[in-house]
Amino acid sequence: MAFKRVSATVFVQNDQVVKSYAYSKFYPFGNLHTCLSILDRWLVDEIVILDISRKRSISSYVLEQISTTSISTPLIYGGGISCIEHVDQLISLGCDRIILEDALFSNHNLIHLAANKYGSQAIIGSLPFSFSLNHPISPIFPDYLHNQYSNLSVLQLLDNCQSLPLSELLVSDFLHEGSFGDFDLNIADFIYHKSTFRKGVLFFGGISAPIANILLSHSNTTAILLGNPNYENELCIPVFKSLLSKNSLIRPSSSLPH
Amino acid sequence: MIKIGILQYGAGNVGSLLHSFSAAGFPAFVVNSSSEICTVDLLVFPGVGNALAAQSHLVAHNLLPHLHKRHAYALPTVGICLGAQLFHSYLEESNLPGLSWLEGSVNRLPSDFPFNNGWSCIDHAGLKKHKLGRSLTKKSSFYFNHGYFLNPGHKGLILSVSSLLQVPAIICHDHITAIQFHPEKSQRNGLLFLRNLIVDYYGF
């Protein structure tokens, strides 16, 4: 058990850092090297790079930017990881943990290979799902490769994740990603009360401080991820942390505003 | 100038350590060959990995005789996370004996907290007592990322524990230092800790 984290998320698409809105609208926002350097200087708890280019490979640009940016902040990477060689590259360049999404559905062997080589503490699963007006009971999750919603059962996937060698699960409310305060708390309720998944959960997608307070009150919530707001304000995370009622569970910020 | 070598044994994290030692004012280099193991002033075992994979690498690359020779010479050696775990007599993850430089085992964390991922403060009194606390405070936190914990046979060797989970954070025995957290990923506190370790604890 460690402090719960408030982590900074950086989206990369086609070799550019982007702001993302519901994973459907993207606005370029500069280069990865600069973003990593700035977030490292701001002493965020953790940096999460998510390459959302929807490719089954890792961009050489991203690898080069990670390798040439010397940071001392914990670094997590997700996106395009489809073989153990990708994991080898990322870990050797300084990533502490990796996020696997497609592998949860189609390549459990990769999850086992990565865990056997680097330990399951280094492996995080990713499961984006949301409830919608048309699907208020059973959540939906996107099949980006086929540009449709998947037919697989989220409940079944969550149960599968419990038995896979993952240390934590990143859960994104993909319909509300990019908003501020629209995260659907039914998602947490679904995980904690309807599924058998009992490992740590990182939540992402439109999370405000009041919502974070509710999410963090559950012992299995290990991190809150913030995306777009990080890009513009050094004090985004310190201010966010100061608004959390259970902030004794959070690592104190080094630069709280006076 | 102190000669610091980062042992390359397939357990990741080498680049981050090179950067951190350099940023702390002590440039290091990668030890790729067994012949260099006994020639560096301080040898560091990095660690992001699985115990069995790491132990297999040490055997396959014939590093063990050189490492034990270094230990017999009582040369300063530091292990980080998995690197620290390898120093112990037995590792539950691989179900194999470790290097046995530290008596004790490395065991899985309890099922209610199977992983320790994130930041935690560590017992500051222990740091101060062993000259590792310069410029650090009770509120200084460090980055942990592990599913197994150090469980030394002699609890007196535990120099500091993590404040939240109460697992050993640092174990020292003569020339050996085992660190469960990642100073190379602990931002400014990690750099200060590395400086204290090199200058104040080992006296370089």
Side-chain angles (χ1 to χ4, degrees):
Chain A
M1 185 178 70
F3 285 127
K4 294 173 187 274
R5 292 114 59 198
V6 179
S7 311
T9 308
V10 179
F11 281 121
V12 177
Q13 188 187 49
N14 300 324
D15 297 345
Q16 244 185 342
V17 173
V18 294
K19 281 184 171 182
S20 166
Y21 294 91
Y23 297 109
S24 58
K25 290 181 185 169
F26 307 100
Y27 298 96
F29 199 77
N31 73 67
L32 185 56
H33 176 88
T34 305
C35 279
L36 294 178
S37 300
I38 288 173
L39 291 169
D40 186 48
R41 205 162 58 235
W42 290 353
L43 303 176
V44 299
D45 288 351
E46 184 173 71
I47 301 172
V48 181
I49 301 173
L50 293 175
D51 190 328
I52 51 173
S53 305
R54 315 289 175 216
K55 295 173 182 166
R56 294 181 60 78
S57 61
I58 302 178
S59 151
S60 53
Y61 162 83
V62 171
L63 291 172
E64 188 259 336
Q65 297 277 296
I66 292 174
S67 70
T68 57
T69 310
S70 300
I71 62 170
S72 54
T73 296
L75 185 62
I76 300 177
Y77 174 89
I81 301 171
S82 57
C83 61
I84 192 67
E85 288 75 19
H86 290 159
V87 183
D88 293 340
Q89 280 180 303
L90 290 162
I91 299 285
S92 70
L93 291 179
C95 293
D96 301 278
R97 309 174 77 193
I98 55 148
I99 295 174
L100 297 173
E101 184 172 313
D102 285 354
L104 293 185
F105 320 123
S106 57
N107 193 355
H108 287 187
N109 187 44
L110 174 59
I111 298 173
H112 287 283
L113 274 176
N116 286 341
K117 194 161 185 181
Y118 295 106
S120 45
Q121 88 290 336
I123 317 297
I124 300 171
S126 170
L127 189 56
F129 72 87
S130 296
F131 293 91
S132 70
L133 288 176
N134 294 333
H135 300 85
I137 307 295
S138 299
I140 49 173
F141 77 92
D143 176 350
Y144 290 111
L145 287 177
H146 301 100
N147 203 21
Q148 61 188 23
Y149 293 135
S150 171
N151 293 323
L152 296 173
S153 155
V154 173
L155 192 60
Q156 183 64 52
L157 288 167
L158 284 166
D159 293 345
N160 289 349
C161 287
Q162 181 63 26
S163 58
L164 287 168
L166 310 167
S167 53
E168 293 180 322
L169 186 66
L170 166 61
V171 174
S172 310
D173 180 353
F174 71 94
L175 288 181
H176 297 117
E177 186 274 321
S179 71
F180 194 72
D182 290 339
F183 181 91
D184 185 351
L185 287 167
N186 287 319
I187 290 173
D189 186 62
F190 189 80
I191 296 168
Y192 292 142
H193 298 115
K194 295 191 175 150
S195 82
T196 58
F197 187 76
R198 293 294 176 266
K199 297 177 185 174
V201 182
L202 300 73
F203 286 107
F204 178 63
I207 298 176
S208 60
I211 288 173
N213 277 328
I214 296 169
L215 293 172
L216 291 169
S217 67
H218 197 285
S219 61
N220 283 16
T221 303
T222 49
I224 298 296
L225 274 59
L226 298 183
N228 296 344
N230 282 306
Y231 293 170
E232 291 163 3
N233 186 351
E234 176 175 2
L235 295 176
C236 167
I237 286 184
V239 168
F240 190 90
K241 284 183 174 182
S242 72
L243 296 173
L244 299 177
S245 57
K246 291 186 179 293
N247 58 17
S248 63
L249 301 174
I250 303 286
R251 183 173 75 125
S253 288
S254 58
S255 55
L256 279 170
H258 298 292
Chain B
M1 173 67 82
I2 178 179
K3 204 172 162 189
I4 300 173
I6 315 292
L7 184 66
Q8 177 59 273
Y9 68 107
N13 235 356
V14 172
S16 302
L17 272 167
L18 288 173
H19 161 67
S20 291
F21 276 107
S22 177
F26 305 95
F29 68 98
V30 180
V31 170
N32 280 309
S33 108
S34 57
S35 62
E36 294 172 303
I37 285 174
C38 288
T39 66
V40 294
D41 298 318
L42 181 70
L43 183 69
V44 181
F45 283 58
V48 174
N50 171 284
L52 181 59
Q55 289 178 286
S56 302
H57 187 103
L58 295 179
V59 172
H61 291 77
N62 196 32
L63 298 178
L64 290 177
H66 304 272
L67 292 170
H68 285 305
K69 190 170 158 191
R70 178 180 178 89
H71 180 61
Y73 289 160
L75 296 172
T77 304
V78 172
I80 293 172
C81 197
L82 173 63
Q85 297 178 356
L86 295 176
F87 294 171
H88 287 71
S89 315
Y90 170 74
L91 288 85
E92 186 178 343
E93 186 176 26
S94 62
N95 193 25
L96 287 172
L99 293 166
S100 297
W101 297 345
L102 293 172
E103 192 184 315
S105 57
V106 178
N107 299 110
R108 182 167 262 297
L109 286 169
S111 57
D112 47 346
F113 292 108
F115 297 98
N116 189 25
N117 308 117
W119 295 83
S120 177
C121 299
I122 63 176
D123 165 37
H124 189 65
L127 283 182
K128 274 175 71 175
K129 187 176 169 190
H130 292 82
K131 300 193 291 186
L132 284 165
R134 180 159 57 114
S135 308
L136 296 169
T137 70
K138 285 180 188 172
K139 291 185 176 176
S140 299
S141 55
F142 298 88
Y143 179 68
F144 289 77
N145 184 22
H146 61 113
Y148 291 81
F149 71 100
L150 311 177
N151 189 11
H154 299 298
K155 303 302 178 200
L157 299 179
I158 300 172
L159 189 150
S160 185
V161 296
S162 72
S163 303
L164 292 169
L165 198 56
Q166 292 289 303
V167 292
I170 308 167
I171 293 172
C172 289
H173 185 50
D174 300 331
H175 57 289
I176 298 289
T177 303
I179 305 164
Q180 183 61 77
F181 59 86
H182 288 271
E184 78 280 10
K185 286 302 176 96
S186 297
Q187 300 172 339
R188 182 171 177 270
N189 294 337
L191 302 185
L192 291 171
F193 177 83
L194 289 176
R195 178 204 63 185
N196 296 348
L197 183 71
I198 294 166
V199 177
D200 299 343
Y201 182 77
Y202 279 119
F204 286 110

